Amino acid sequence: MKKNITIILVIGLLGLLAACNDFLDTMPDNRAEVNTVEKVTKLLVSAYPTNSITVIAEMSSDNAMDNGVNFSPYNQEQEDAYLWKDITTTGNDAPKAIWDAHYGAIAAANQALEAIEDMGNPTNLQPQKGEALIARAYSHFVLSTLFCLPYNPETANNDMGIPYSERPETQVSIEYERGTMADLYAKINADIEAGLSLINDAIYSVPKYHFNKKAAYSFATRFNLYYHNYDNVIKYANEVLGPNPANVLRNWAGYDLLASNWQVRADAYINASEAANLLLLPVYSAYPYILGPYSIGQRYGHSRDIMMNESVRASGLWGAYQNQYAFSVWGLEQKFAVPKVGAYFEYTDKVAGIGYLHGVYIGFTTNETLLCRAEAYILKGEFEQGVTDINAWIGNRTRVQENFTKEDIVEFYSNIPYMPLGNIESASQRTVKKELNPQGFIVSDGDQENLIQCVLHLRRIETMHDGLRWSDIKRYGIEIAHNRDGQADDILSKDDPRRAIQLPQDVINAGLAANPR
């Protein structure tokens, strides 16, 4: 589904987002007149970002390594993200495109909210109001996971946030300030709380391309996990998962019955009829090529060493990787891929062979929501409930149908050595377990840490190619190393300012404070 770019252009915001001095501004006489239920509903099609953080987040994380100078990166964004360098290019996966797309989506949400207010906040527009509030919160949240440090209650009053745009601008050259992470998260939370109860799936012809009720509650679940509001995580996850999560988790067993074909399985993964898929986001991105099983962009990738020892094929409570459903991966030694990132090319000129590369990003799934709840239970000290959710995930993803006890899980992960930080001389040194330095919360040694190590292991498998591993690394202060061919490994310490990706240069030029370096 291609976003209705014309609406954003009519309201004069997308182009202005790219300008140096007025990146959030619009002239009042350039705005479309939105004065009916139908127009508001159509406008909200544009309240979803058309670019993704996935390439930057995956390349910045420990899901990628340098495969050597015999291979080339796909583009500069891929290389700079892996090297933790400030990215100054302007491709679809660069900070500028991401910033513009998300603030463009925010602008559409704000325009819809103002139109609803101007029409007297009528009852028949409350579902649209809920969608606009949730969509606005979501784009701010995604930007914060990339351009800011993780929310830490001990430092949130000082850590830099991003501007929270709450109304369509009516003048040019407004001076914006970044504010703090405390301010930013409070505003995101307020929008979520105001919007959740208003969502009504009945207004959507294809609910999974919008913030339907389950998608909204899943977003609230993840946000509250990052916000350390664990009671809310559990409450909202319950709304998504119901009394029996097995009924709504992904049908992994069914994937084994599909043809052993990359595109067939990638198409099945993003199918709107799959109960686990809650929000589908079509985006302009090269991530299907960069992360997929193609002989391009091989310099930095999810290599065999990582796959077999740290991520999707590492041994788990279920034993060897063959005990997982849908364990097939495609690719080359330098980058192995899980069949979930299909490439969809839109030709603008078939003769010339030019057009736009699309991917369909799954914003929220029931499986990830389940792991959010498991993590919240464990951080609250409610270990048995967390273990129940861990077993639900294992029972859904693997052929092993036994219920593991807390003691089983603790013993398994306590026997795994921590992976060394840098200077890896052999693949056997790689493990699924890394030292934790939680940012603003406590994980106690022993049972709690080993249960969290389990959840992080499951999350790494579940969210491969989704970019969420980068947030887990930031939240838990996990120190990682990126090897560099012929050079010493580059260490990303828990306090490294590069954990906050640098803002686009034109935004900095406009006067917004840059991230420290």
Side-chain angles (χ1 to χ4, degrees):
M1 183 184 73
K2 188 175 180 181
K3 292 287 191 296
N4 188 351
I5 301 298
T6 58
I7 293 179
I8 296 181
L9 290 174
V10 167
I11 62 177
L13 279 160
L14 190 57
L16 288 167
L17 281 164
C20 290
N21 295 318
D22 49 359
F23 64 92
L24 286 177
D25 301 332
T26 183
M27 293 297 292
D29 58 347
N30 279 352
R31 292 176 294 159
E33 186 177 4
V34 183
N35 54 12
T36 67
V37 172
E38 182 181 10
K39 288 180 179 179
V40 171
T41 302
K42 287 183 177 180
L43 177 59
L44 286 171
V45 172
S46 298
Y48 297 86
T50 54
N51 294 74
S52 169
I53 70 170
T54 307
V55 168
I56 292 178
E58 285 293 293
M59 289 298 112
S60 297
S61 79
D62 53 2
N63 284 338
M65 67 178 291
D66 186 349
N67 294 303
V69 294
N70 291 331
F71 304 97
S72 300
Y74 179 79
N75 57 21
Q76 195 64 45
E77 289 99 278
Q78 182 192 16
E79 178 160 87
D80 288 347
Y82 179 82
L83 297 176
W84 298 316
K85 293 175 63 176
D86 293 352
I87 304 170
T88 58
T89 48
T90 57
N92 280 334
D93 297 295
K96 174 178 171 51
I98 293 166
W99 184 275
D100 289 356
H102 286 76
Y103 273 113
I106 291 164
N110 282 337
Q111 191 71 29
L113 289 168
E114 183 177 78
I116 293 168
E117 183 179 327
D118 289 345
M119 286 187 277
N121 200 30
T123 301
N124 64 341
L125 275 171
Q126 293 310 289
Q128 288 85 346
K129 180 178 181 179
E131 181 183 7
L133 288 167
I134 296 294
R136 181 171 74 181
Y138 173 70
S139 281
H140 284 104
F141 172 70
V142 172
L143 290 175
S144 76
T145 65
L146 194 68
F147 296 113
C148 304
L149 296 174
Y151 179 82
N152 180 337
E154 297 172 2
T155 61
N157 286 320
N158 295 311
D159 291 340
M160 287 192 292
I162 56 170
Y164 204 88
S165 177
E166 296 178 273
R167 299 192 70 84
E169 303 301 347
T170 57
Q171 54 185 311
V172 179
S173 300
I174 296 175
E175 292 187 8
Y176 289 94
E177 295 181 357
R178 292 189 61 168
T180 68
M181 282 296 286
D183 295 334
L184 176 64
Y185 263 52
K187 290 179 178 180
I188 293 172
N189 187 59
D191 274 353
I192 291 174
E193 293 300 319
L196 277 177
S197 64
L198 302 179
I199 297 290
N200 185 341
D201 294 358
I203 70 169
Y204 306 129
S205 56
V206 186
K208 291 190 177 181
Y209 284 93
H210 298 267
F211 265 114
N212 57 79
K213 189 170 286 292
K214 281 196 172 186
Y217 277 106
S218 184
F219 169 37
T221 299
R222 188 189 299 166
F223 168 75
N224 278 282
L225 181 65
Y226 291 14
Y227 205 19
H228 313 307
N229 288 335
Y230 305 128
D231 288 336
N232 278 350
V233 174
I234 295 163
K235 178 176 69 174
Y236 294 139
N238 291 344
E239 295 288 335
V240 177
L241 301 170
N244 186 0
N247 293 335
V248 295
L249 296 180
R250 187 173 299 279
N251 181 19
W252 283 115
Y255 277 57
D256 280 352
L257 306 177
L258 297 173
S260 183
N261 175 280
W262 170 266
Q263 198 62 47
V264 168
R265 295 200 177 190
D267 288 347
Y269 187 84
I270 64 167
N271 196 314
S273 65
E274 166 61 64
N277 293 337
L278 303 179
L279 179 66
L280 307 179
L281 296 170
V283 294
Y284 297 102
S285 174
Y287 80 73
Y289 285 174
I290 291 173
L291 304 178
Y294 306 103
S295 55
I296 51 178
Q298 293 169 256
R299 176 69 189 265
Y300 309 105
H302 181 232
S303 70
R304 177 179 290 276
D305 285 356
I306 297 174
M307 176 189 69
M308 297 299 297
N309 299 284
E310 294 186 56
S311 64
V312 295
R313 283 195 171 182
S315 297
L317 289 157
W318 49 87
Y321 72 83
Q322 291 92 341
N323 290 326
Q324 291 185 53
Y325 289 122
F327 64 82
S328 297
V329 295
W330 275 258
L332 308 161
E333 291 288 323
Q334 296 75 34
K335 55 171 194 160
F336 282 91
V338 178
K340 61 194 288 189
V341 288
Y344 307 95
F345 199 86
E346 175 192 355
Y347 285 99
T348 55
D349 187 332
K350 285 193 174 182
V351 176
I354 58 175
Y356 300 104
L357 177 62
H358 297 263
V360 178
Y361 179 75
I362 309 297
F364 298 95
T365 69
T366 55
N367 291 60
E368 193 261 341
T369 300
L370 177 72
L371 293 178
C372 287
R373 188 173 73 177
E375 185 178 339
Y377 275 134
I378 293 165
L379 291 173
K380 278 173 57 68
E382 298 176 7
F383 295 159
E384 293 305 326
Q385 292 93 324
V387 168
T388 297
D389 282 349
I390 288 171
N391 278 309
W393 188 93
I394 292 173
N396 169 255
R397 185 62 186 258
T398 78
R399 296 178 175 84
V400 177
Q401 299 301 308
E402 74 175 272
N403 281 325
F404 296 96
T405 65
K406 181 193 75 173
E407 289 71 26
D408 292 333
I409 298 170
V410 169
E411 180 181 9
F412 181 86
Y413 285 92
S414 64
N415 287 330
I416 297 175
Y418 291 107
M419 180 173 157
L421 181 61
N423 303 312
I424 300 295
E425 296 179 357
S426 70
S428 63
Q429 292 179 280
R430 297 180 178 276
T431 76
V432 301
K433 185 175 175 181
K434 299 185 178 181
E435 296 272 5
L436 307 181
N437 303 283
Q439 299 297 288
F441 59 104
I442 295 172
V443 175
S444 299
D445 293 341
D447 290 0
Q448 189 174 51
E449 189 205 339
N450 284 295
L451 290 170
I452 288 295
Q453 291 284 0
C454 175
V455 170
L456 290 172
H457 180 192
L458 306 189
R459 283 184 62 84
R460 193 170 183 186
I461 296 171
E462 183 64 43
T463 66
M464 179 59 62
H465 308 325
D466 293 341
L468 294 181
R469 175 65 178 174
W470 181 234
S471 287
D472 291 348
I473 287 170
K474 292 168 71 168
R475 293 187 301 122
Y476 278 90
I478 298 171
E479 298 186 325
I480 61 175
H482 276 181
N483 67 303
R484 297 187 180 188
D485 192 341
Q487 301 181 45
D489 289 356
D490 191 2
I491 306 295
L492 191 75
S493 69
K494 65 181 186 298
D495 299 319
D496 197 311
R498 293 176 298 175
R499 289 173 178 259
I501 302 299
Q502 189 57 272
L503 272 55
Q505 189 59 51
D506 62 339
V507 173
I508 297 171
N509 292 343
L512 210 60
N515 286 325
R517 286 292 182 264

